[in-house]
Amino acid sequence: AKKWINIRKSYGNFYKVPRNQTKLTIMLENLGMNYDGRPHSGLDDSKNIARIAIRMLQDGCDLRVNERIHGGQLMTVSPSVPLEGAPAPQMPRYRN
């Protein structure tokens, strides 16, 4: 992966909170959610991050690529850069 969405950065920008309020457990707590699973389990962490992303989409956040690797260096992607490639994530559709 050379481009990705840093959820901590998106969360901080969208909800206007400082970086020290973007730890996984704090983000969940601020959204009224509990941590599901075992802390520091890769699978459980990613499920909880997905729950945060879904909530952000529900709250109107436009999740966009905000970091990339270029020439071996981590770079921030400006929010004004046009989207390229795949469409922006959409709210999941649930079947009844």
Side-chain angles (χ1 to χ4, degrees), residues 17-83:
V17 298
R19 181 141 173 92
N20 66 353
Q21 293 292 307
T22 62
K23 292 183 174 79
L24 182 55
T25 54
I26 294 172
M27 290 188 292
L28 287 164
E29 183 179 305
N30 289 342
L31 294 173
M33 300 178 194
N34 293 317
Y35 186 92
D36 288 343
R38 295 183 334 261
H40 307 297
S41 159
L43 181 58
D44 292 337
D45 283 352
S46 55
K47 287 178 180 179
N48 283 290
I49 291 167
R51 291 172 54 223
I52 291 169
I54 289 168
R55 174 62 179 277
M56 291 174 68
L57 290 167
Q58 289 171 335
D59 288 348
C61 181
D62 181 19
L63 290 175
R64 303 180 81 153
V65 169
N66 56 15
E67 288 186 349
R68 68 185 177 104
I69 293 287
H70 181 71
Q73 298 293 317
L74 175 65
M75 304 186 78
T76 296
V77 176
S78 168
S80 62
V81 171
L83 294 174

